[in-house]
Amino acid sequence: MIGASFNTSSTLSSFINEIEGDVAGRINGAVNDIARAINIQDFYSAHILNYCEGNYSPTAIANQTSNPTKNITRCSNQRALFNFDPTAILQSELRPGVTLSDLNWPSSIQNAVRAVAIASKVMFVLYCVGAALAGLAIIGAIIGLINGGRLSAILNFMLDFVVFVDVMDSIIEQLQSTKEYTVTEIGGEGEKVNKITNYRAINSKTHEDDVVKEISEADIVTCAVGPNVLKFIAPVIAKGIHKRTASYPMAVIACENAIGATDTLAGFIRDPKNTPENQLKDLPERARFANSAIDRIVPNQAPHSGLNVQIESFFEWVVESTPFEPHGHPEISGVNWVTDLKPYIERKLFTVNTGHAAAAYYGYNRGKKMIHHALEDKEIGQIVREALSETSRLIVKKHGISESDQKQYVDKIIKRISNPHLEDVVERVGRAPLRKLSRKERFVGPAAELAEMGDDVKALLGCIEMAFRFQNVEGDDESAELAKILKDNDAKAVVEKVCGLTEKDKLYPEVVKVVEKVQK
């Protein structure tokens, strides 16, 4: 269950019952002595986010009747990291001038109170990871099943329950009619098969109100749908944020291969069409937006694999923490929280994505089927290393990462994308060339900065050429659009339109030469 109220598995419920029973046993004798003399309640029940109190009927003491009825009279406000402290609660309810010491309140009860405080914090973390994290899967799957597995594969191993949301009837029907699916992790050490059973599915075309409700109650909302799709999922997220009633803001984290993707999503959410001006003022009290860098390879899936997904075993998820101040960031297992995300996201984009795409475009243009086939070609492998040598110079200069650390990172990335067990098709990695050739992306972004520094960018220019040659690829609309742009425009117009470069940029004339070469 996602939301502010707590409804968990039988194991966790049993754990809470043990805590309540222990505390009840310790305070029962003291409460019976003072209940008739002062205005306190018959029972106090502890929960993850608050506590409730009330009376038993028909008698004041629960064990004096065979069938007592619980009447809840009040519940405290819900808050994160709440812990139940019966000493403080009872003291606050005593009449003026009366203290618990006056009533011989046992000091040993404080030992139980401290145990409950520790257990409450542990349980709250489990609550965030188990209950609230289901909200991560909600939006991640709105358009397509979270890009086939990158984000869902990270989350599925941390969840008590997942709610998938999609606009495609066939996927929803599959999820609703199938009791389980598998996520297979592939690494150098072999395969690990994980069986996923804890999920359900909602069709957002026909049940948008249900989606909005799930979002409004979630602690964390994230997506991995592709940067171009963010504007389409923003309206339903905005509706969920507007309906949120919790006393603390939800975390919104976009997990896309793009710099500042969450900022982009937040911009769409703040658009007057999605969030009226009168709702903007309290938006920070309902939602906080944090950029992230996520890294996991999800190759082409086998035909007729259905819901089953194959992924690489390695993953990295880095999220900025500063947007969550003063509330503090949510606790998510596996996340690396940082105050400055830019070094991480640029190192990932300009190493993992640059190297992966370089191998794909060179491989495609030289007739290779798989990424590992391309990298087994000594010439292509050397070109990829040269391109990453250029981006490494930028990363080291700009972010202060040591040359040795960056070299180790490059070696690790090349080993990962060379993994033959992933069977990663070059067309999959190369798809969407217009986005990958854009101003802040994996080739033009680092090349433009290096050119301004006066550094050589020969290898990156070669990658840019191969990307421009990725045209009319079956199943990839952007490659067809790229071919049309190249046919209908001169080189300068193409560079300005596709790469976002102008005559003021030092890289501009070099890319114009590349495009002229491609157009011949």
Side-chain angles (χ1 to χ4, degrees), residues 291-293 315-321 329 332-339 341 344 347:
N291 290 302
S292 76
F315 80 88
E316 184 179 48
W317 192 5
V318 185
V319 184
E320 59 184 349
S321 59
H329 63 73
I332 309 173
S333 176
V335 169
N336 179 17
W337 297 97
V338 299
T339 55
L341 181 66
Y344 295 89
R347 185 176 73 160

Side-chain angles (χ1 to χ4, degrees), residues 136 399 416 450:
L136 286 164
H399 298 300
R416 283 175 55 204
L450 287 165

Side-chain angles (χ1 to χ4, degrees), residues 283-341:
L283 185 62
E285 300 306 314
R286 298 174 185 269
R288 297 294 177 93
F289 301 90
N291 290 302
S292 76
I294 190 167
D295 182 10
R296 188 168 218 168
I297 296 172
V298 182
N300 265 17
Q301 303 302 303
H304 312 299
S305 59
L307 298 174
N308 300 328
V309 180
Q310 287 190 329
I311 57 171
E312 72 164 329
S313 56
F314 172 89
F315 80 88
E316 184 179 48
W317 192 5
V318 185
V319 184
E320 59 184 349
S321 59
T322 49
F324 300 108
E325 296 175 356
H327 301 275
H329 63 73
E331 294 298 328
I332 309 173
S333 176
V335 169
N336 179 17
W337 297 97
V338 299
T339 55
D340 184 7
L341 181 66

Side-chain angles (χ1 to χ4, degrees), residues 38-55:
I38 57 177
N39 185 30
I40 64 170
Q41 304 299 311
D42 291 344
F43 68 85
Y44 298 82
S45 58
H47 306 284
I48 292 299
L49 298 176
N50 66 349
Y51 77 93
C52 293
E53 60 184 38
N55 300 309

Side-chain angles (χ1 to χ4, degrees), residues 434 437-440 444 448 461 464 468 482 485-486 489-519:
L434 288 176
L437 282 166
S438 62
R439 181 64 178 80
K440 294 182 179 181
V444 177
L461 286 170
I464 290 171
F468 269 111
L482 174 61
I485 291 172
L486 285 163
N489 298 272
D490 63 24
K492 290 183 177 180
V494 170
V495 173
E496 291 177 9
K497 183 180 182 67
V498 175
C499 302
L501 297 170
T502 68
E503 293 180 352
K504 295 179 181 179
D505 298 301
K506 290 184 179 180
L507 185 65
Y508 176 79
E510 300 302 320
V511 180
V512 169
K513 291 178 186 177
V514 167
V515 173
E516 288 174 342
K517 182 179 177 182
V518 172
Q519 288 179 319

Side-chain angles (χ1 to χ4, degrees), residues 361 427-428 430-434 436 470-482:
Y361 291 132
E427 288 86 354
R428 184 202 75 82
R431 67 190 177 194
L434 288 176
K436 291 168 183 174
F470 191 81
Q471 302 173 34
N472 293 316
V473 177
E474 185 179 355
D476 182 51
D477 293 339
E478 282 197 18
S479 67
E481 187 178 350
L482 174 61

Side-chain angles (χ1 to χ4, degrees), residues 40 83 91 96 108 111 130 136 142 158 197 219 230 244 280 301 311 315 330 335 341 371 380 427-428 444:
I40 64 170
N83 63 275
Q91 181 63 65
S108 61
N111 294 330
L136 286 164
I142 276 184
M158 304 185 225
T197 59
D219 282 354
L230 294 175
R244 185 170 181 80
L280 287 174
Q301 303 302 303
I311 57 171
F315 80 88
V335 169
L341 181 66
I371 293 296
I380 296 177
E427 288 86 354
R428 184 202 75 82
V444 177

